[in-house]
Amino acid sequence: MSCVLVLLSFIVLSGDGIISEGASRPHVVNVGAIFGLNTLHGKVANIAMKAAEDDVNSDPSFLGGSKLRILMNDAKRSGFLSIIGALKFMETDAVAIIGPQTSIMAHVLSYIANELKVPMLSFTALDPSLSPLQFPFFVQTAPSDLFLMRAIAEMITYYGWSDVVALYNDDDNSRNGITSLGDELEGRRCKISYKAVLPLDVVITSPREIIDELTKIQGMESRVIIVHTFPKTGRMIFEEAKKLGMMEQGYVWIATTWLTSLLDSYSPLPPKKIEAIRGVLTLRIHTRESRKRRDFVARWNKLSNGTVGLNVYGLYAYDTVWIIARAVKSLLDNGANITFSSDSKLTSLKGGTLNLGALSIFDQGPQFLEFIVKTKMSGVTGPVQFLPDRSMLQPAYDIINIVGDGFKQIGYWSNHSGLSVIPPESLYSKPPNRSSSNNVTWPGGTSETPRGWVLPNNGRRLRIGVPNRASFKDFVSSVNGSNKVEGYSIDVFEAAIKLLPYPVAHEFVLFGDGLKNPNYNELVNNVSTGVFDAVVGDIAIVKRRIRIVDFTQPYIESGLVVVAAVTKLNDTPWAFLRPFTPPMWAVTAAFFLIIGSVIWVLEHRINDEFRGPPGSQVVTILWLMFKLAGENTVSTLGRVVLLIWLFVVLIITSSYTASLTSILTVQQLNSPIKGVDTLMSSSERVGFQVGSYAENYMIDELNIARSRLVALGSPKEYATALQNGTVSAIVDERPYVDLFLSEFCGFAIRGQAFTRSGWGFAFPRDSPLAVDMSTAILGLSETGQLQKIREKWLSKSNCSNLNGSHSDDDQEQLGLHSFWGLFLMCGVACFIALLIYFFKIVRDFCNDHKPVEEAIVPSPESSHSNTLHTFLAYFDEKEDKTKRRLKRKRNHDLSVKFPRPM
């Protein structure tokens, strides 16, 4: 409010407002309008609003006898005159103000509207930041530029562009629109790489500032230029761009709705003017075809006397008047009086000659505003309705391409279905259908979609940094000390460059003295600082580097591994014992004895093979138990135990055979170093390659003391240090290690790779070339060319391929944990068989040795000893003798009980 008072202090107003007192229906309802009548939008809007005023008043019954009067204030593109005009309307008790024309004044005048409760409706001030929360009495009656920028962002995404340049005036409408565009692009992983800001449209008198900005843009990568300005500035931009050669092939120009307004209002343009914009894409707010629209278009020439053509803002001006008229009708029909009252904040200001008391508050302003935002009608623009957030219903745009001597419509965008070649109104009742047209003529007359960027600095040869290595020169190296380079990485880069659809002039620049490997972090940092345009070589893609540059798709997999000296395990005559662990061998042998003992117990009384001297029985137990499994003399319990044991032996034998075959087929290597865990838990010294990121990784991530680390410069130093014990192991990237193991024998990778990464080419952040090179690398991989380059440089070996490919961890020994279930099953079977057998033999013993009465009763100790001795003798006795004795005993008992007659 303080801002308003400051503005008021410079204005001297006089006159009395006309207030309708006591009349339920005022004779005249005043509506103010603030436009620059010397501007394109002002001219069109003035004609359209007067036509709408006449149409409203042509039916006296519509407002119940009241007349709608549009009071036009010519602001002449002046912010000061816009303020004066608004305050004058507050004196004449206007119920609403149409305008202002620009968002700059909308921000200022909305404070006055909020204070005096007078709604302001604008179809040209479409700044996305004019929020109804901050400015409740400001209403946009055309789609906000938020949707315009959303449409442009989707066009950019559709054509695959990632960077754009924004060219705009330094005013609220343009600035906030570009901010919205940036937000929309960010959500689509695109961005505005440069913002070219021009002075206000009203103050530009020469093209000097425009030429300066266009010259800057000319030297940049991005060739997609968004022009968000006004007709006057826009015409100058394209005229100067034409002179600078920026309307030729390779450029993409997208103009916002200002250009379609110009084309619609002054079509056809003169040949020289149309030539300057040929190939440009632009947008127009979409208005639905209807009878009302066709009738109004047909009337336009008569209304305008041919002075200016009808553009879309003329249609919105006409509908805006009708929105106000309908709200007035609703207000009066609801019995409300149109009254105004003094603002106590203004009347309390005394002194001076300002007539501030003439400014009145519209008493029914809040109610009137509610009727405005609840308007629902069919206008010349199509269905008119406000959503809860005050945005217009179904915002949509026509996409226009300037071709030949005119223009053609190539598609549509709507907030419902996005880009489409089908009119949006036919899609509102269907699921979103984002079909788009490629029938576009671009600058230079080409129909091929521009890639949207070029190499910067007007085609200067790219400076490609290359590490001047002292070791592992198969990856990259200088040829005979010259600036010419070769190697695996160089061949991959050159092959990928050839797949690009455009030439890339480049030169290689060596980094380092060639006497030792350079620091790769410094090399990559030179890309971010602009020393190099890219870096090519054996560059690992790691977190520290990816923060400052963009990498291509990896062209080779990498990762840190541990290398140590190894010995061959299967060069010993005892290699056949390796499939089983010692506990496994022990338990297996023990179970042979246990099963043999159980079989002996079960078969001792019935099989002659299990009788005789104890020594001979022990020897025969093991080989006889398999033989007896198929004999009829074996007892049922013995047969069950033997079958279970044979099943266990079969599984164990099969596993042993498979494991032994693997051991004898694959070379097994042994070393006290098992992997990275061994290094972390020990105090041994560890080697690393000079310049590699392995040093920092071991210190920062693995917490290995720096004092334990030894820098090594070549494969020969690797071998020497490992052989003489200078280091217990070496940590390096897998491609280097593979090349080392192909030349030096007696070493192997221990454990698995403990990091996962790859090698790529480094480019500046957001470089489009990085994306295209990634696509080319994938192409090399799919065609097999990448593998051929690898075979050319890296497929060499002086050692057996088995030497460095496996470790003792590759073949796990079979332990007891793998078979304890089988042994448990066999043990339970033995126990049950012995238990059954024990009960049977005890029963038979008791039947054979029933107690007899004796005259002398022995002591309990003597009785127990005699019984045990008798039982053991009975157990050792062959079952046939026992059966014969039992038979004789039964016959004797029968003869005693039933003696034969004499």
Side-chain angles (χ1 to χ4, degrees), residues 110-127:
S110 290
Y111 288 102
I112 301 176
N114 289 350
E115 178 65 25
L116 301 179
K117 311 302 182 188
V118 177
M120 299 183 69
L121 294 80
S122 180
F123 47 86
T124 55
L126 303 177
D127 180 354

Side-chain angles (χ1 to χ4, degrees), residues 352-461:
T353 58
L354 294 176
N355 187 15
L356 299 178
L359 302 179
S360 303
I361 295 175
F362 181 18
D363 296 329
Q364 290 77 37
Q367 186 181 6
F368 186 56
L369 175 65
E370 185 177 354
F371 285 127
I372 288 173
V373 297
K374 287 185 176 179
T375 298
K376 188 175 183 181
M377 70 179 196
S378 177
V380 295
T381 59
V384 176
Q385 184 178 344
F386 295 94
L387 298 178
D389 63 353
R390 298 268 194 94
S391 64
M392 297 299 292
L393 178 70
Q394 300 171 346
Y397 294 86
D398 301 332
I399 302 175
I400 308 297
N401 185 203
I402 315 300
V403 294
D405 294 330
F407 55 89
K408 65 178 180 179
Q409 185 166 334
I410 61 171
Y412 306 87
W413 180 91
S414 76
N415 202 40
H416 170 74
S417 56
L419 296 175
S420 174
V421 294
I422 303 172
E425 50 267 21
S426 62
L427 298 174
Y428 288 134
S429 60
K430 302 176 183 178
N433 177 20
R434 283 170 155 75
S435 60
S436 303
S437 171
N438 278 322
N439 186 23
V440 181
T441 301
W442 304 99
T446 179
S447 58
E448 182 179 350
T449 302
R451 69 174 185 264
W453 64 276
V454 295
L455 297 173
N457 300 317
N458 296 319
R460 174 181 60 83
R461 295 170 67 89

Side-chain angles (χ1 to χ4, degrees), residues 60 111 122 166 169 265 305 607 614 671 677 779:
Y111 288 102
S122 180
N169 296 106
S265 299
N305 293 321
N607 286 294
S671 169
D677 293 336

